[in-house]
């Protein structure tokens, strides 16, 4: 379901509607970051996993926040290195964060409450288990490779640390010494 339906209590202000995308430039880093994710596939994976692990959703309390919004906030938390409270506050005021969370329009009204409480984000994070995180990573990696953003070639990491100026044996040094010894 669209995020707007979940946030009707927040978006039912008296002011005019503002299209979030109209205020977030295409060159904004958060917008560019958010556009790299296959949101539909990621949300489907989370919803599928949560339905398996938590089969009886509760009807108590306020309406739930969409999975897309919570997942975007969780990923943004690591991208922006902020606390849950800071991120939830930015969701209320920062149009780029709103856009990343899938909010397309908001009512211009100064009396809006926080959309997501930090406690809700912490509860969502506790539900993300290792198999789900691996599935989300695989979805993101496959999408990035299809888009040509990353190479499918294996990354080679040099596990031997070397300080600047250190005498480390490598192929070039070995070849140089061999040539030097053969010419003597």
């Amino acid at each position: 379901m669209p995020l707007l339906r979940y946030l009707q209590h927040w978006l039912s202000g008296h002011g005019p509607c503002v299209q979030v995308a109209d205020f977030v430039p295409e060159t904004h880093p958060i917008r560019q970051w958010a556009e790299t994710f296959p949101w539909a596939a990621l949300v489907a994976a989370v919803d599928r996993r949560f339905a398996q692990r938590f089969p009886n959703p509760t009807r108590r309390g306020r309406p739930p926040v969409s999975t897309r919004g919570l997942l975007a906030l969780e990923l943004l938390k690591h991208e922006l290195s902020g606390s849950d409270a800071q991120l939830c506050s930015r969701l209320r005021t920062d149009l780029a964060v709103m856009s990343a969370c899938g909010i397309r329009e908001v009512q211009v009204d100064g009396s809006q409450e926080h959309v997501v409480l930090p406690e809700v984000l912490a509860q969502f994070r506790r539900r993300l288990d290792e198999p789900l995180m691996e599935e989300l990573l695989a979805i993101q990696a496959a999408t990035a490779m299809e888009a040509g953003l990353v190479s499918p070639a294996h990354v080679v990491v040099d596990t031997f640390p070397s300080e600047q100026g250190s005498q480390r044996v490598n192929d070039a040094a070995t070849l140089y010494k061999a040539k030097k010894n053969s010419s003597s």
Side-chain angles (χ1 to χ4, degrees):
M1 292 192 164
L3 184 62
L4 294 177
R5 179 162 181 227
Y6 291 119
L7 303 177
Q8 286 175 350
H9 63 282
W10 180 66
L11 301 174
S12 59
H14 301 290
C17 280
V18 174
Q19 298 298 317
V20 174
D22 293 344
F23 290 91
V24 182
E26 290 183 20
T27 57
H28 194 284
I30 293 178
R31 183 172 180 172
Q32 290 176 339
W33 171 86
E35 289 174 353
T36 64
F37 288 92
W39 290 111
L42 294 173
V43 168
V46 171
D47 287 342
R48 190 173 47 253
R49 181 73 176 164
F50 282 7
Q52 292 171 353
R53 292 181 58 219
F54 310 103
N56 299 325
T58 181
R59 300 281 182 226
R60 298 179 309 181
R62 60 188 246 195
V65 179
S66 77
T67 303
R68 158 76 193 269
L70 290 172
L71 185 58
L73 286 173
E74 181 61 24
L75 295 171
L76 271 171
K77 177 183 171 77
H78 298 286
E79 186 70 23
L80 301 175
S81 301
S83 70
D84 288 352
Q86 290 170 331
L87 205 54
C88 292
S89 177
R90 280 189 75 171
L91 177 61
R92 182 174 181 244
T93 59
D94 190 339
L95 292 173
V97 173
M98 288 180 198
S99 175
C101 291
I103 299 174
R104 290 180 174 66
E105 62 182 22
V106 293
Q107 294 281 339
V108 180
D109 185 1
S111 66
Q112 297 170 357
E113 296 295 323
H114 282 346
V115 178
V116 178
L117 298 173
E119 296 82 17
V120 174
L121 189 55
Q123 182 182 19
F124 177 76
R125 184 178 310 111
R126 282 193 303 267
R127 291 180 167 207
L128 298 174
D129 61 354
E130 191 65 30
L132 176 59
M133 292 304 293
E134 289 176 11
E135 182 179 355
L136 296 177
L137 183 61
I139 291 169
Q140 179 63 16
T143 303
M145 281 192 267
E146 287 174 13
L149 299 174
V150 294
S151 169
H154 294 288
V155 176
V156 178
V157 178
D158 184 4
T159 59
F160 294 103
S162 65
E163 296 178 14
Q164 187 174 7
S166 69
Q167 297 292 325
R168 215 179 96 211
V169 177
N170 58 28
D171 291 339
T174 306
L175 182 61
Y176 173 76
K177 286 182 181 178
K179 286 182 180 179
K180 187 175 177 182
N181 289 339
S182 67
S183 64
S184 306

